[in-house]
Amino acid sequence: MDEKVAITTERNRLNYENKLILAPMVRISTLPMRLLAIDYGADIVYTEELIDWKLLRSFRRENDVLGTVDYIDKTDGTVTFRTCPRERDKVVLQIGTCDATRALKVGKMIEQDVAGIDLNMGCPKLFSLVGKMGAALLQEPETARNILKTLVDNLSIPVTCKIRVLPDLNKTLELCELLQSTGISAIAVHGRTVSERPQHANRNVVLKEISNRLSIPVIANGGSKEIQKYSDIFKFKEITGCSSVMLARAAEWNCSIFSKEGLLPMEDVIKSYLKYAVNCDNPPSNTKYCIQNILREQQESVLGRKFLNSQTLEQICNCWDLSDYYRLKKREFDEKGLLGRSQVSPMREDDKQDGEQLPNKRKIADEEDVVLMHCAFLRNNYVTDLQLPKTVLHKWSQTQRKKMPNYNTQQKGKLFRSIVTVDGRKYGSSFWEKNKKWAEQGAALVCLFSLGLINEKTFAANGNVPS
């Protein structure tokens, strides 16, 4: 078969006609939410925007424990992008870039694992604008055209872009026609300008004009204010005259908006999401952010406040009676040898690129004679500084005429772990904290519990289980 024909045939695999689509949302459109959207009926799911240079400094690794494909940042061991076979034919990776060469390198790197690639031309955030990415490309149409044409001509997967409308209708139509000329498979259009926000009306008339003008599928976006239930999606589709509908905030608030059966109770959605978060070893911070956007005003409830005080994935699960599920999966993952976020793993020899050095493999757990527990520190549990573990341990050392506690803190990327030496013994937590102070507090907490200076009830108040 001719190579060009083969590429065209492969591109037809993902059809953008009459589809319900999960929009690319920062910190929301990660793997657990994408899988949940597919469960409820989404036909296509976009990733959050991933910046080209961050993907290019990542290496691909198949995760046998989770059954995922991970792209891991070489600099700190964190996961840049995680996907799985379940979404292989539905996931579109959205890239943030302003350079055709870098964009193509990313495309070649990930095309085996995704169904399509999308160029972000609509993000109004300062970070994107300063980097000449996102909405900045609306003012650089030739740069955008070059990026898209390069991707279309060299990749075996569909290429799309997502834009915002311009204040002037004719200029919007001219831009859309230029982008269509690159051979892209579809174009998603947010019906607001860069300066407009959700409180402004979506320009549905402009979306209809674009749809009438173009010959490729146009995906309508920006209608969440008008979409309260499943049937509203199709009203929005009819009003805009577009081929498909992309949902952002409506799906963020209740992902079951994609379900023909109607909206599910918020609690059911959260529980289903949490199970995916556990299954995917999703970072607690990201999990918490997504649930906050589901809870919204319910964050002020008793359950909401308990949730906001949680820090670990287990503590979050406990809020919805899923602790047993978490522990079951954690035991399964541990037995299979999962290296998770609390065990930031450096590259193996076979992951190295030519000339690269492996990061330092020494871990706190390798220290001899360390009393080690998986212990999180929850700042909200301490009303005054006098109650903080470090303060209590310091005062105890003074009264017992011991040497002052000595902390040795390890950093991996943006995460910290610490061990404390007290009276010749070492104590530490295997939990990675987001700052050095909290890591030291966690180590002090382990020490206090081990010395019998706090009881099991106080220790468990932080959501910790003695081990």
Side-chain angles (χ1 to χ4, degrees):
M1 182 183 291
D2 180 81
E3 183 179 355
K4 196 172 184 72
V5 174
I7 290 176
T8 302
T9 303
E10 181 71 8
R11 282 206 188 106
N12 290 335
R13 185 182 70 246
L14 192 62
N15 186 344
Y16 287 92
E17 294 282 359
N18 297 311
K19 303 300 181 185
L20 302 184
I21 303 172
L22 178 70
M25 294 177 282
V26 177
R27 299 183 68 190
I28 296 291
S29 301
T30 47
L31 183 56
M33 190 64 77
R34 298 197 304 266
L35 293 175
L36 189 62
I38 291 171
D39 280 354
Y40 289 136
D43 301 298
I44 300 172
V45 291
Y46 278 54
T47 70
E48 62 179 335
E49 178 194 35
L50 298 171
I51 307 302
D52 54 6
W53 53 261
K54 187 168 178 62
L55 281 162
L56 290 175
R57 75 182 188 200
S58 301
F59 63 93
R60 182 182 187 274
R61 178 181 290 174
E62 294 186 12
N63 189 323
D64 295 333
V65 177
L66 298 178
T68 60
V69 173
D70 301 340
Y71 286 82
I72 302 172
D73 192 322
K74 297 171 187 174
T75 62
D76 60 13
T78 57
V79 177
T80 303
F81 171 52
R82 172 166 283 163
T83 184
C84 69
R86 170 89 191 290
E87 66 170 4
R88 171 63 181 81
D89 295 327
K90 295 177 181 289
V91 64
V92 174
L93 185 143
Q94 186 181 74
I95 183 177
T97 187
C98 62
D99 183 85
T101 301
R102 291 200 304 271
L104 182 57
K105 286 181 180 178
V106 169
K108 286 294 185 183
M109 182 171 71
I110 56 90
E111 68 179 326
Q112 64 185 311
D113 295 315
V114 299
I117 188 169
D118 181 81
L119 174 63
N120 184 354
M121 295 180 59
C123 182
K125 301 294 186 184
L126 182 61
F127 172 81
S128 291
L129 298 179
V130 170
K132 298 183 179 180
M133 302 179 293
L137 290 174
L138 296 174
Q139 307 303 320
E140 300 288 342
E142 284 303 318
T143 299
R145 187 198 67 81
N146 185 37
I147 294 171
L148 291 172
K149 189 75 168 63
T150 300
L151 293 175
V152 167
D153 288 348
N154 294 282
L155 296 181
S156 63
I157 54 176
V159 177
T160 59
C161 65
K162 184 173 184 290
I163 70 168
R164 282 177 173 255
V165 298
L166 301 174
D168 182 86
L169 173 60
N170 290 328
K171 289 184 177 179
T172 301
L173 294 173
E174 288 174 10
L175 174 65
C176 290
E177 289 181 325
L178 174 68
L179 299 175
Q180 176 181 251
S181 71
T182 64
I184 56 175
S185 298
I187 182 170
V189 185
H190 186 134
R192 295 184 181 85
T193 66
V194 173
S195 62
E196 290 175 335
R197 293 296 174 263
Q199 63 266 29
H200 296 104
N202 204 53
R203 303 189 183 205
N204 295 338
V205 173
V206 177
L207 294 182
K208 190 154 192 169
E209 290 283 348
I210 295 171
S211 182
N212 290 337
R213 182 72 67 93
L214 301 187
S215 59
I216 60 174
V218 176
I219 304 166
N221 180 226
S224 287
K225 282 176 67 176
E226 306 164 45
I227 298 173
Q228 305 298 319
K229 56 185 182 298
Y230 183 77
S231 59
D232 292 339
I233 300 174
F234 299 94
K235 291 179 184 177
F236 180 63
K237 181 176 182 292
E238 185 178 354
I239 290 170
T240 60
C242 291
S243 304
S244 297
V245 174
M246 175 181 280
L247 298 180
R249 287 178 300 127
E252 173 185 313
W253 297 332
N254 190 325
C255 200
S256 66
I257 190 73
F258 289 111
S259 174
K260 294 178 182 178
E261 308 304 319
L263 287 172
L264 292 171
M266 178 178 63
E267 182 178 1
D268 293 352
V269 174
I270 290 175
K271 285 185 174 181
S272 295
Y273 169 79
L274 262 177
K275 287 183 177 179
Y276 273 129
V278 172
N279 295 349
C280 299
D281 191 38
N282 202 51
S285 58
N286 179 254
T287 301
K288 192 170 183 178
Y289 179 80
C290 290
I291 294 177
Q292 281 181 279
N293 282 279
I294 299 173
L295 283 174
R296 299 166 71 195
E297 65 273 4
Q298 293 299 314
Q299 292 179 69
E300 296 305 315
S301 66
V302 174
L303 175 62
R305 288 194 293 271
K306 179 183 177 183
F307 159 72
L308 290 176
N309 283 331
S310 63
Q311 183 176 329
T312 67
L313 198 52
E314 183 176 8
Q315 290 160 0
I316 296 172
C317 285
N318 183 54
C319 295
W320 281 275
D321 299 320
L322 289 173
S323 294
D324 289 344
Y325 184 83
Y326 171 84
R327 285 191 284 269
L328 178 68
K329 297 301 292 187
K330 186 177 187 303
R331 192 179 308 118
E332 174 189 325
F333 293 158
D334 288 345
E335 288 173 356
K336 291 181 179 179
L338 175 68
L339 290 178
R341 287 162 285 92
S342 61
Q343 299 152 297
V344 177
S345 56
M347 290 181 289
R348 299 175 306 192
E349 284 290 339
D350 55 356
D351 293 321
K352 284 196 301 179
Q353 304 295 320
D354 292 341
E356 287 187 306
Q357 298 297 316
L358 285 174
N360 183 2
K361 290 188 176 182
R362 185 171 177 265
K363 295 184 174 68
I364 287 178
D366 296 332
E367 294 274 359
E368 294 181 1
D369 300 323
V370 178
V371 177
L372 196 66
M373 296 181 182
H374 196 66
C375 170
F377 168 72
L378 300 184
R379 181 62 180 87
N380 290 341
N381 284 352
Y382 302 90
V383 179
T384 70
D385 289 349
L386 293 176
Q387 296 173 318
L388 292 173
K390 283 185 67 177
T391 304
V392 175
L393 183 59
H394 183 88
K395 183 171 289 187
W396 178 84
S397 299
Q398 280 184 320
T399 58
Q400 298 298 313
R401 300 184 182 277
K402 308 284 187 184
K403 288 184 178 180
M404 287 299 102
N406 180 46
Y407 294 89
N408 176 25
T409 303
Q410 178 192 28
Q411 180 177 359
K412 286 281 188 181
K414 297 179 180 180
L415 302 173
F416 299 82
R417 272 198 316 190
S418 186
I419 56 175
V420 59
T421 303
V422 176
D423 197 23
R425 293 295 307 276
K426 297 178 180 179
Y427 308 85
S429 170
S430 60
F431 187 84
W432 289 85
E433 299 280 6
K434 64 182 181 180
N435 62 54
K436 182 173 182 282
K437 289 181 180 179
W438 285 17
E440 292 176 351
Q441 295 286 3
L445 191 59
V446 171
C447 179
L448 291 173
F449 178 74
S450 301
L451 294 175
L453 300 177
I454 58 173
N455 59 32
E456 186 169 316
K457 182 178 180 181
T458 303
F459 187 73
N462 271 43
N464 302 307
V465 178
S467 57

